[in-house]
Amino acid sequence: MMDEKVGRDEEQLVMEQLISFIKKDDIEQFREQFFELHPYEQAQFYEKVTPPIRQKIYYYLSPQELAEVFQALEIDDDTYVEFLNEMDVSYAAAMLSEMNTDDVVDVFHELDDEDRTQYLTLMDDETAEEIHELMQYADYTAGAIMTTEYVSINENSTTRMAMNILRNEAPTAETIYYIFIMNMKKQLVGVISLRDLIVAGENVLIRDVMNERVVSVQASDDQEEVAQIMRDYNFLALPVIDEHKTLLGIITVDDIIDVIDEEAEDDYSKLAGISNFDNFEQGPFAAAKKRLPWLVMLLFLGMLTASLMAQFEDTLDAVAILAIFIPLISGTSGNSGTQALAVAVRGLATKDASNDESKMRLLLRELSTGAIMGLLCALVVTGIVYFWKGELIIGMLVGVAMCCSIIVATLAGSLIPLMMDRIGVDPAVASGPFITTLNDITSILIYLGLATAFIL
Amino acid sequence: MMDEKVGRDEEQLVMEQLISFIKKDDIEQFREQFFELHPYEQAQFYEKVTPPIRQKIYYYLSPQELAEVFQALEIDDDTYVEFLNEMDVSYAAAMLSEMNTDDVVDVFHELDDEDRTQYLTLMDDETAEEIHELMQYADYTAGAIMTTEYVSINENSTTRMAMNILRNEAPTAETIYYIFIMNMKKQLVGVISLRDLIVAGENVLIRDVMNERVVSVQASDDQEEVAQIMRDYNFLALPVIDEHKTLLGIITVDDIIDVIDEEAEDDYSKLAGISNFDNFEQGPFAAAKKRLPWLVMLLFLGMLTASLMAQFEDTLDAVAILAIFIPLISGTSGNSGTQALAVAVRGLATKDASNDESKMRLLLRELSTGAIMGLLCALVVTGIVYFWKGELIIGMLVGVAMCCSIIVATLAGSLIPLMMDRIGVDPAVASGPFITTLNDITSILIYLGLATAFIL
């Protein structure tokens, strides 16, 4: 328990108190204490209590109040459905109507068609229509993560009118720190931050103080591109428009942080050869299920290595000492391949290698890098084998094989993700274990091929 | 060029126009067009032009104006120094005084003592003092990334007074979307968002509308913890306090995005066995220099594998077919080790495994997961060897060895990062290649050990 934070105890205390209020059916006290918490803390409480306690919460809180809690939840997809099923259908529909549209869409993606239709029928028409439209956008696009709760105003309004609108929309808008400005055709023509609005003073025409160079994205843009723009410009929100420049929605910085986390986790898990991270809470069967596909696929790829080696059985039979250095050569080339892979995947993600010219330059650079590292490792290993075993010929053979393997591995480590990117596949799919297994094959082919040619 | 974005052409055009204004010495036109750009775009321009053009920019822009540009730069550490050296010393000092303190501190960390002292002497005393204090905080702590440009107000003020203060501070504060509230002892007692301030209306006592449950961090807190809080609570800024609850500074969401990026890149590069990512622009020698330390270290570790195998030379001599399956067994166990490693590192980063009990649970889970995967892979491989080579004994040997190796590798993959975390070392240091090389040793020991015991 020593690495627990001090705050935990206080949290625990508040939780116990809230539960005791519920058990005493003391609505007043419960509500007073509950609303002192931040939505994140409310969500933590809601998520951790038992279903009977949650039943009481549905009774104590209005759908609107629970909406705030529900959209702050950080739970597995299945759990959303579980929680919704606990509620009365009309209560659930009312709550969903009050949530930010982007959060509703996230939840709706987990429901089956029947449930979804049921909720949509019970929601007010306008919201239902909005959500239906948002659900059309493909996953991982700007459209899929945007929300329609933004503040907009006509360009001919004054700053005073803008402040009034803000005051009205403040309780429901996802952010009031940017106001998006439209012309008569409902096209996005400008943006003003609340900061600039405050500095501008009252009774100025919005048109005269707005920023006309609005940075915006299209609904079909990839969420990673959106994240990159937010990062570069340090925006708190970014407008999403269609081809007619009509404002469709906005993406806020908190959603972008989730995107950045998601993408980083995705790259990381793929480098390790896992399709999905298993939650620590899941059992060993669930964990094994997530890792076995890769492992078995790589096992079959590894069988290729074995069958390749079988071709050299005579060589291995004749000079048994050769086998000793196989793991060393294949291991080192595998390591250099993984390094090159990570550099290439990273470079593609950060757009350092965005055009063909820079890709070609990267490949040439990796070839040279591989040659430098290969030569150096070859010298080291030849020296070691000579001084340890007194075998100069074997030492040189191991050295040459290692040098060639490292060059091939470094080149493959960068070429494969670049090729994948070229054909439109996520380059991160080429995982570390995959590259390593592939390099096992090439390095053994090189080593035993050279041995058969020069020693026997 | 097909994957270039359309926006690029426009960007290029604006850049050429700006340069042509500079060449014609048309200050007016240059300034007009330049200030229509967003600071990020201004920084991109400033960073890309030649030094003679930059000399003109120093002449056209006031130090205050350049400060906005300078703090939006995304360049290598050395380049900051290069740019500063291009400027007149007093101009540079004036510019640094106008920058946000957290950005100045970043730049100052790159300077040598002499330059730093020179600039500090030329800056006004208050700013110099602030920066000097900020520089005392250790890297990767909340103190090191916070800024002192926040808006604060006494709890006895009214909302109208708060709005007036905001209006005055809007041009320089890093964020005006949170106002931090102090008591007479200058202790942080509350916070109010600009949103709530607007909703509250005028002439209300701040004390009555502020949020008293302020979430704050200590200056010595790790930046990763700060990022986690920002992520959970969706804050735009977070106050940093000392042990007396005095407000020291704030951390804004844009800095946290940088932290998240940095940490993700760090974990990723370590999993791949690279100490630092090499920039695509760097040459092969620079790239090789960054990867060789790991590679050579692992090469020596790999020599252990070779010397271990040398102990089994007689066994290998007697049954040459044994060697064929070595890469398969060590490869598969290496892969399962990398998977387990990634899960453990990730779990430690997201605090899923924060106490001893959950760590023990994780280890037990991984042991079971390894057993499940090991048994399944063993069955597959025994079957293949039997049907392919007709060797049941060898097949069973390979199967048993693989099963044991996978169990050991899975356990090691989770145990090593947990142990590192325990002794206070970043668990991500246990890279994929390191675990893989380590598992080479154990799997070969298991395989050839079993073979020697049961076959010979």
Side-chain angles (χ1 to χ4, degrees):
Chain A
M1 295 293 283
M2 71 172 206
D3 37 6
E4 291 282 357
K5 290 192 66 183
V6 186
R8 281 285 154 83
D9 292 340
E10 200 192 320
E11 243 171 66
Q12 195 59 37
L13 205 75
V14 173
M15 238 184 104
E16 278 162 21
Q17 235 171 354
L18 282 171
I19 291 179
S20 83
F21 292 143
I22 290 182
K23 288 197 169 143
K24 281 187 289 180
D25 251 331
D26 191 339
I27 304 193
E28 280 311 301
Q29 286 260 38
F30 171 80
R31 285 178 55 94
E32 198 186 311
Q33 180 132 14
F34 188 73
F35 287 120
E36 267 182 22
L37 300 179
H38 185 277
Y40 167 72
E41 296 159 343
Q42 295 173 349
Q44 290 285 309
F45 175 76
Y46 169 80
E47 172 189 334
K48 278 176 191 151
V49 295
T50 58
I53 299 277
R54 269 201 296 277
Q55 282 304 331
K56 295 267 193 168
I57 296 180
Y58 303 138
Y59 179 66
Y60 292 176
L61 300 183
S62 72
Q64 191 172 355
E65 286 161 349
L66 189 68
E68 286 289 312
V69 181
F70 212 79
Q71 64 198 10
L73 285 175
E74 288 178 359
I75 51 178
D76 285 342
D77 299 339
D78 305 342
T79 320
Y80 282 113
V81 183
E82 196 187 308
F83 287 171
L84 281 179
N85 287 339
E86 287 177 1
M87 301 175 205
D88 180 83
V89 184
S90 61
Y91 182 94
M95 182 201 68
L96 289 166
S97 309
E98 297 289 342
M99 280 169 63
N100 287 330
T101 44
D102 56 341
D103 297 317
V104 183
V105 168
D106 285 348
V107 174
F108 268 36
H109 275 300
E110 307 314 321
L111 300 178
D112 54 37
D113 278 342
E114 202 184 323
D115 283 348
R116 213 179 291 151
T117 317
Q118 190 183 27
Y119 291 129
L120 281 174
T121 324
L122 288 167
M123 289 164 88
D124 71 277
D125 289 352
E126 200 192 332
T127 315
E129 175 64 22
E130 255 175 30
I131 288 162
H132 183 76
E133 268 172 34
L134 283 177
M135 299 223 21
Q136 309 308 312
Y137 295 106
D139 281 352
Y140 312 113
T141 63
I145 54 171
M146 73 185 180
T147 176
T148 52
E149 281 91 5
Y150 52 82
V151 183
S152 67
I153 194 170
N154 188 278
E155 56 176 338
N156 295 316
S157 321
T158 62
T159 45
R160 180 194 286 270
M161 287 157 76
M163 279 304 279
N164 281 334
I165 290 183
L166 278 189
R167 212 162 278 136
N168 289 330
E169 308 238 355
T172 58
E174 176 126 13
T175 178
I176 61 158
Y177 301 136
Y178 290 110
I179 300 130
F180 299 94
I181 298 148
M182 318 283 215
N183 63 13
M184 288 303 179
K185 291 188 207 145
K186 297 267 174 203
Q187 290 173 313
L188 180 69
V189 292
V191 66
I192 186 165
S193 69
L194 179 50
R195 183 196 285 244
D196 290 339
L197 190 65
I198 287 177
V199 174
E202 290 189 336
N203 287 323
V204 184
L205 269 184
I206 285 288
R207 208 174 38 204
D208 297 334
V209 286
M210 72 184 187
N211 186 345
E212 285 168 56
R213 284 180 51 92
V214 200
V215 179
S216 60
V217 292
Q218 299 277 327
S220 56
D221 284 352
D222 188 272
Q223 63 176 9
E224 247 183 299
E225 277 173 50
V226 181
Q228 192 58 49
I229 293 175
M230 287 277 232
R231 240 183 293 219
D232 285 343
Y233 285 87
N234 290 341
F235 287 138
L236 299 179
L238 199 59
V240 183
I241 57 172
D242 66 12
E243 64 275 26
H244 308 297
K245 289 196 141 197
T246 315
L247 183 58
L248 300 174
I250 61 166
I251 297 170
T252 49
V253 69
D254 53 301
D255 295 323
I256 285 304
I257 289 184
D258 294 341
V259 168
I260 294 174
D261 271 344
E262 214 177 288
E263 300 280 351
E265 184 149 306
D266 198 48
D267 284 357
Y268 188 81
S269 63
K270 278 176 182 152
L271 185 62
I274 315 177
S275 37
N276 260 307
F277 270 106
D278 40 283
N279 194 302
F280 274 22
E281 303 303 315
Q282 291 181 307
F285 282 98
K289 204 176 140 195
K290 285 188 178 163
R291 300 185 211 171
L292 271 170
W294 264 106
L295 211 58
V296 172
M297 197 200 83
L298 292 169
L299 180 65
F300 278 97
L301 198 58
M303 285 307 300
L304 255 175
T305 328
S307 68
L308 197 73
M309 279 183 76
Q311 305 299 314
F312 294 101
E313 218 175 319
D314 293 341
T315 309
L316 286 168
D317 237 350
V319 196
I321 193 182
L322 281 178
I324 291 176
F325 299 103
I326 289 177
L328 183 67
I329 294 172
S330 65
T332 309
S333 77
N335 293 341
S336 62
T338 305
Q339 292 179 330
L341 170 78
V343 170
V345 169
R346 199 69 213 159
L348 286 167
T350 56
K351 309 285 171 208
D352 274 351
S354 54
N355 59 37
D356 286 355
E357 195 200 323
S358 60
K359 280 176 190 163
M360 191 44 79
R361 218 169 39 228
L362 173 68
L363 284 179
L364 281 174
R365 209 251 337 226
E366 290 298 295
L367 187 66
S368 316
T369 308
I372 295 167
M373 298 194 302
L375 276 172
L376 213 130
C377 290
L379 279 176
V380 171
V381 85
T382 306
I384 294 177
V385 175
Y386 176 63
F387 287 111
W388 172 39
K389 290 263 157 194
E391 298 260 17
L392 185 60
I393 302 294
I394 298 280
M396 281 170 64
L397 175 72
V398 171
V400 172
M402 184 172 281
C403 180
C404 297
S405 306
I406 288 177
I407 293 173
V408 171
T410 307
L411 200 60
S414 48
L415 186 63
I416 290 173
L418 287 178
M419 272 174 18
M420 286 184 156
D421 187 57
R422 183 84 205 202
I423 58 169
V425 176
D426 180 358
V429 166
S431 74
F434 174 70
I435 290 279
T436 304
T437 309
L438 212 63
N439 285 333
D440 274 358
I441 301 177
T442 58
S443 61
I444 285 164
L445 195 63
I446 291 171
Y447 176 52
L448 295 182
L450 284 173
T452 311
F454 291 103
I455 296 199
L456 288 183
Chain B
M1 295 295 282
M2 72 174 205
D3 36 4
E4 291 283 356
K5 291 193 66 181
V6 187
R8 282 284 154 85
D9 292 341
E10 201 192 319
E11 242 170 66
Q12 193 60 35
L13 206 75
V14 173
M15 239 185 104
E16 278 162 21
Q17 238 172 352
L18 282 171
I19 291 179
S20 83
F21 292 145
I22 291 182
K23 289 200 168 139
K24 282 188 288 180
D25 251 329
D26 192 339
I27 303 192
E28 280 310 303
Q29 287 260 39
F30 171 80
R31 287 178 55 93
E32 197 185 312
Q33 182 132 13
F34 189 73
F35 287 119
E36 270 184 18
L37 300 179
H38 185 279
Y40 167 71
E41 296 160 340
Q42 295 172 349
Q44 289 284 308
F45 174 76
Y46 169 80
E47 172 190 334
K48 278 175 190 151
V49 295
T50 58
I53 299 276
R54 270 201 297 276
Q55 282 305 330
K56 294 268 193 167
I57 296 178
Y58 303 139
Y59 179 65
Y60 292 176
L61 300 183
S62 71
Q64 189 173 358
E65 287 161 349
L66 190 66
E68 286 288 311
V69 181
F70 211 79
Q71 63 198 12
L73 285 175
E74 289 179 356
I75 51 178
D76 286 342
D77 300 339
D78 305 340
T79 320
Y80 281 112
V81 183
E82 196 187 308
F83 287 172
L84 282 178
N85 287 338
E86 286 177 1
M87 302 175 205
D88 181 84
V89 184
S90 60
Y91 182 95
M95 182 201 68
L96 290 166
S97 309
E98 296 290 341
M99 281 169 63
N100 288 330
T101 43
D102 55 341
D103 297 316
V104 183
V105 168
D106 286 347
V107 174
F108 268 35
H109 275 299
E110 307 314 321
L111 299 178
D112 53 37
D113 278 343
E114 201 183 324
D115 282 348
R116 214 180 291 152
T117 316
Q118 189 182 28
Y119 290 129
L120 282 174
T121 322
L122 287 167
M123 289 163 87
D124 71 275
D125 290 351
E126 198 191 331
T127 316
E129 175 62 24
E130 256 174 30
I131 289 163
H132 184 74
E133 269 172 33
L134 283 176
M135 296 215 36
Q136 309 309 313
Y137 295 105
D139 281 351
Y140 310 113
T141 62
I145 55 171
M146 74 184 180
T147 176
T148 52
E149 280 89 3
Y150 52 82
V151 183
S152 68
I153 194 170
N154 187 279
E155 57 177 337
N156 294 316
S157 321
T158 63
T159 46
R160 181 196 287 269
M161 286 156 77
M163 279 304 278
N164 281 334
I165 289 183
L166 278 189
R167 213 163 275 136
N168 290 329
E169 307 238 358
T172 58
E174 177 127 11
T175 179
I176 61 159
Y177 300 137
Y178 291 110
I179 299 131
F180 299 95
I181 297 147
M182 317 283 216
N183 64 12
M184 288 303 177
K185 291 190 208 144
K186 297 269 174 200
Q187 289 174 314
L188 180 69
V189 292
V191 65
I192 185 164
S193 69
L194 179 49
R195 184 196 285 244
D196 290 339
L197 189 65
I198 287 177
V199 174
E202 289 188 337
N203 286 324
V204 184
L205 268 185
I206 286 288
R207 208 176 36 207
D208 297 334
V209 285
M210 73 183 185
N211 187 344
E212 284 168 58
R213 283 181 50 93
V214 199
V215 179
S216 60
V217 292
Q218 299 277 329
S220 56
D221 284 353
D222 188 272
Q223 61 175 9
E224 248 184 299
E225 277 173 49
V226 181
Q228 193 58 49
I229 293 175
M230 286 278 231
R231 241 183 295 218
D232 285 344
Y233 285 87
N234 289 340
F235 288 137
L236 299 179
L238 199 59
V240 183
I241 57 173
D242 66 12
E243 64 275 27
H244 308 296
K245 289 196 143 198
T246 315
L247 183 58
L248 300 174
I250 60 167
I251 297 171
T252 49
V253 68
D254 54 301
D255 295 321
I256 284 304
I257 289 185
D258 294 341
V259 168
I260 294 174
D261 272 344
E262 215 176 288
E263 300 280 352
E265 184 149 306
D266 198 47
D267 284 356
Y268 188 81
S269 63
K270 279 176 183 152
L271 184 61
I274 315 177
S275 37
N276 258 307
F277 270 107
D278 40 284
N279 194 302
F280 274 22
E281 304 303 315
Q282 290 181 308
F285 282 97
K289 204 177 140 194
K290 285 189 177 164
R291 300 186 211 171
L292 271 170
W294 263 105
L295 212 56
V296 172
M297 197 199 84
L298 292 168
L299 180 64
F300 277 97
L301 198 57
M303 285 306 302
L304 255 175
T305 328
S307 66
L308 198 71
M309 280 182 75
Q311 306 299 317
F312 295 101
E313 218 174 321
D314 293 341
T315 309
L316 286 169
D317 235 350
V319 197
I321 194 181
L322 281 178
I324 292 176
F325 300 103
I326 289 177
L328 183 67
I329 293 170
S330 65
T332 309
S333 77
N335 292 341
S336 61
T338 306
Q339 291 179 330
L341 170 77
V343 170
V345 169
R346 199 69 213 160
L348 287 167
T350 55
K351 309 284 171 208
D352 274 350
S354 53
N355 59 37
D356 285 355
E357 193 200 324
S358 60
K359 280 176 190 164
M360 191 45 77
R361 218 169 39 228
L362 173 69
L363 284 179
L364 281 176
R365 209 255 332 230
E366 290 297 295
L367 187 66
S368 316
T369 308
I372 295 166
M373 299 195 301
L375 276 173
L376 213 132
C377 289
L379 279 175
V380 171
V381 84
T382 306
I384 294 177
V385 174
Y386 177 63
F387 288 110
W388 173 40
K389 289 264 157 193
E391 298 261 19
L392 184 61
I393 301 295
I394 299 280
M396 281 170 64
L397 175 72
V398 171
V400 172
M402 186 173 280
C403 180
C404 297
S405 307
I406 288 177
I407 294 173
V408 171
T410 307
L411 201 60
S414 48
L415 185 63
I416 290 173
L418 288 177
M419 272 173 20
M420 286 185 157
D421 187 56
R422 183 83 206 200
I423 58 169
V425 176
D426 180 357
V429 166
S431 75
F434 173 69
I435 289 281
T436 304
T437 310
L438 210 63
N439 285 332
D440 274 359
I441 300 177
T442 58
S443 61
I444 286 166
L445 194 64
I446 292 170
Y447 177 52
L448 294 182
L450 286 172
T452 310
F454 291 101
I455 297 198
L456 287 183

